[in-house]
Amino acid sequence: MKIILTGVTGFVGRSLVPLLHQQSHELTLLVRSVPKAQRLFPPSSFPQLKAIAYEATESGPWQEQVNGQDAVINLAGEPISERWTEAYKTAIFDSRKLGTEKLVEAIAKAERRPQVMISGSAIGYYGTSETETFTERSPAGDDFLAEVCQAWENAAHPVESLGVRLVILRIGIVLGADGGALGKMLPPFKLFAGGPLGSGEQWFSWIDRRDLVALIDKALTDPSLRGTFNATAPNPVKMKEFCHTLGKVLARPSWLPVPDIALELLLGEAAKLVLEGQQVLPEAIAKTDFQFQAPDLETSLRQILAS
């Protein structure tokens, strides 16, 4: 296939792009920094890949690249783990909403349109709760991240009227050793200073990065996948259980909690990402034939750390 991708020079893309390249797909990456993309994916190792500079929130010549593509994978967006100033909250919102709108605009202009668009979202769509369970049928929350996710998804829906199959993935906390939440938690645990973040009672709805990449891969070629899917493992855990399991796998203690105030001082409003949570179940995925490689947390952590 000919596939055009956004937002894949980071944590998820480091696994997704090599997998798609191994399958002999012809990849076009829309990136802010071509040199960064070429460092991550050297042309000598990725001969069927080209990187095109673009500004996600603006129309431009880059939109012509969408014409003739078989698929679009849209994962672009400013990181949400930074401190949220008002200006940065605007950047988080616009990078997702406007970035998706400009991709849809490019699809509408194309003489030959893609067959499928896979567009990111997040479990932040549901808001936070220590008691509720959320599935794809649950209503949206009313906080900032829920507002972002609703706008992000609404920006993608018009491609359906253009005859493009749309798959929206509400992605949970992605686990991998070289980045994301786990990457930040490993150093203190290895130094015998690990423990729960906040109360430990908040839900931690996670997915192994290999499963997320496999789900994206399946969505590319399986026409039965259409609509919205919670991209989370079927067994969410509470933060205290996550830290206990990580300590067990590392043979390290997990008793030293990180107080709320420390995270709030470090991250400001963004601290709610780890201090609050939500129990999210992949109900729609369970109705497909997709098989998780790591459906439970200990299996995931052992496989990640072994590799």
Side-chain angles (χ1 to χ4, degrees):
M1 299 174 69
K2 296 178 67 176
I3 307 171
I4 193 163
L5 308 94
T6 73
V8 289
T9 59
F11 179 53
V12 174
R14 291 199 294 270
S15 287
L16 177 61
V17 171
L19 173 68
L20 298 179
H21 183 266
Q22 290 167 8
Q23 296 173 349
S24 299
H25 298 305
E26 184 178 327
L27 308 180
T28 299
L29 308 188
L30 297 178
V31 297
R32 284 187 292 188
S33 172
V34 172
K36 177 182 178 181
Q38 291 177 335
R39 286 194 301 271
L40 286 169
F41 312 114
S44 58
S45 301
F46 294 84
Q48 291 177 286
L49 180 152
K50 64 179 178 179
I52 305 294
Y54 90 130
E55 183 57 52
T57 59
E58 297 179 6
S59 304
W62 65 266
Q63 291 177 307
E64 298 171 5
Q65 300 291 327
V66 174
N67 185 43
Q69 298 286 339
D70 298 308
V72 175
I73 299 176
N74 175 37
L75 302 176
E78 292 289 343
I80 59 175
S81 57
E82 307 293 330
R83 177 174 284 273
W84 293 353
T85 63
E86 287 305 310
Y88 195 67
K89 287 171 74 172
T90 298
I92 289 172
F93 187 92
D94 288 350
S95 63
R96 289 164 172 79
K97 178 181 183 292
L98 296 181
T100 301
E101 286 178 349
K102 294 303 178 183
L103 266 179
V104 173
E105 181 181 282
I107 292 171
K109 292 177 180 177
E111 293 181 10
R112 189 170 81 80
R113 293 170 179 161
Q115 301 161 20
V116 58
M117 178 175 176
I118 300 168
S119 196
S121 183
I123 58 173
Y125 177 93
Y126 302 108
T128 60
S129 175
E130 287 189 1
T131 57
E132 292 187 57
T133 299
F134 300 101
T135 70
E136 293 86 353
R137 295 177 288 111
S138 301
D142 58 6
D143 60 13
F144 171 66
L145 287 181
E147 179 186 354
V148 170
C149 291
Q150 290 175 76
W152 196 2
E153 294 184 16
N154 289 338
H157 281 298
V159 298
E160 295 175 295
S161 65
L162 299 173
V164 178
R165 178 170 61 90
L166 176 63
V167 178
I168 291 177
L169 300 179
R170 291 178 183 156
I171 301 171
I173 301 167
V174 184
L175 299 185
D178 59 332
L182 181 59
K184 292 179 179 179
M185 295 176 75
L186 281 174
F189 268 86
K190 289 180 177 180
L191 294 173
F192 295 85
L197 305 178
S199 69
E201 293 299 320
Q202 67 273 38
W203 284 98
F204 191 88
S205 295
W206 58 279
I207 185 168
D208 191 297
R209 181 172 55 179
R210 292 163 299 176
D211 280 324
L212 175 58
V213 167
L215 181 59
I216 294 171
D217 183 37
K218 180 175 177 60
L220 280 172
T221 57
D222 186 341
S224 71
L225 267 65
R226 182 186 298 269
T228 302
F229 297 83
N230 288 335
T232 59
N235 296 293
V237 297
K238 290 199 170 184
M239 175 63 76
K240 61 184 180 182
E241 182 181 345
F242 174 83
C243 292
H244 173 76
T245 305
L246 179 57
K248 175 183 175 182
V249 171
L250 289 171
R252 297 288 194 277
S254 59
W255 56 269
L256 190 64
V258 178
D260 292 13
I261 187 65
L263 288 169
E264 289 167 354
L265 288 172
L266 178 64
L267 296 174
E269 191 179 350
K272 73 175 298 171
L273 291 171
V274 288
L275 294 177
E276 304 175 23
Q278 58 277 101
Q279 184 181 19
V280 179
L281 298 178
E283 185 179 78
I285 292 177
K287 296 176 181 178
T288 73
D289 62 356
F290 180 78
Q291 298 294 316
F292 286 91
Q293 301 174 59
D296 68 274
L297 182 63
E298 185 169 342
T299 297
S300 174
L301 291 177
R302 290 196 181 281
Q303 291 177 355
I304 288 170
L305 296 173
S307 62

